[in-house]
Amino acid sequence: MKVSQYMSLSVVTVTPQTEFHRAFDLMRSRNIHHLPVVDDGRVVGLVAERDLLLAAANFGSSEVPVGEIMHSPAICIAESALLKEAARLLVERHIGSLPVLDSKKALVGIITETDIFKIAAGMLRARPAARKVAAKTARRAPKKAAKRGKPAVRKTASRKTAARKTAARKTTARRS
């Protein structure tokens, strides 16, 4: 599974010159917690909601640009990277999001720790285009196996359900 299949495509960004109160209002209105900071089309930093809350406590109503608060350089990930790599980076670096870059280093999306949790919980699915490719690959596998003279083995939901029911019956029988 690749990052590009699960990343959020609509990314809200700010510039280093954006006043931090405005960035905070933007986060609240869009219900987001991370903003990539972009300058001349390149990601130069990242600011999280907690950074802005700390800034509000320290600077009050002063006009302070996001560039003075942001984490720089931003830790980013390639759109072709595996989800496993994204999860590892989030955990090891103790961060909540990763801006996603294409091969030309342009921002194309963002993936957050919440996205990873939703994927693990089965609450977030790959975008339709990615699912179609996966479905085609799954359909081709039995045909390829047959060409090589191997039997095509496909587990269906009904077989899995039957196996679970059998296991449950055995467990119940043992308890009795």
Side-chain angles (χ1 to χ4, degrees), residues 1-7 76-91 98-101 111-112 115-116 119:
M1 297 187 295
K2 292 190 177 188
V3 169
S4 61
Q5 295 172 294
Y6 294 92
M7 67 185 182
C76 300
I77 194 158
E79 65 182 335
S80 60
L82 297 177
L83 277 176
K84 182 178 179 179
E85 176 65 13
R88 186 187 63 74
L89 273 173
L90 290 168
V91 171
L98 292 166
V100 182
L101 308 178
I111 191 150
T112 68
D115 296 330
I116 302 292
I119 294 162

Side-chain angles (χ1 to χ4, degrees), residues 37-88:
V37 182
V38 179
D39 193 23
D40 289 330
R42 298 283 181 222
V43 178
V44 295
L46 188 76
V47 66
E49 184 178 31
R50 67 177 172 259
D51 301 324
L52 298 177
L53 289 169
L54 286 170
N58 291 323
F59 301 119
S61 61
S62 301
E63 292 188 18
V64 178
V66 169
E68 291 184 30
I69 300 165
M70 70 182 184
H71 293 274
S72 181
I75 300 165
C76 300
I77 194 158
E79 65 182 335
S80 60
L82 297 177
L83 277 176
K84 182 178 179 179
E85 176 65 13
R88 186 187 63 74

Side-chain angles (χ1 to χ4, degrees), residues 128-144 154:
R131 281 188 286 195
K132 287 178 185 174
V133 171
K136 284 182 185 176
T137 305
R139 277 184 264 150
R140 288 181 192 156
K143 292 177 186 175
K144 287 183 181 179
R154 231 188 230 186

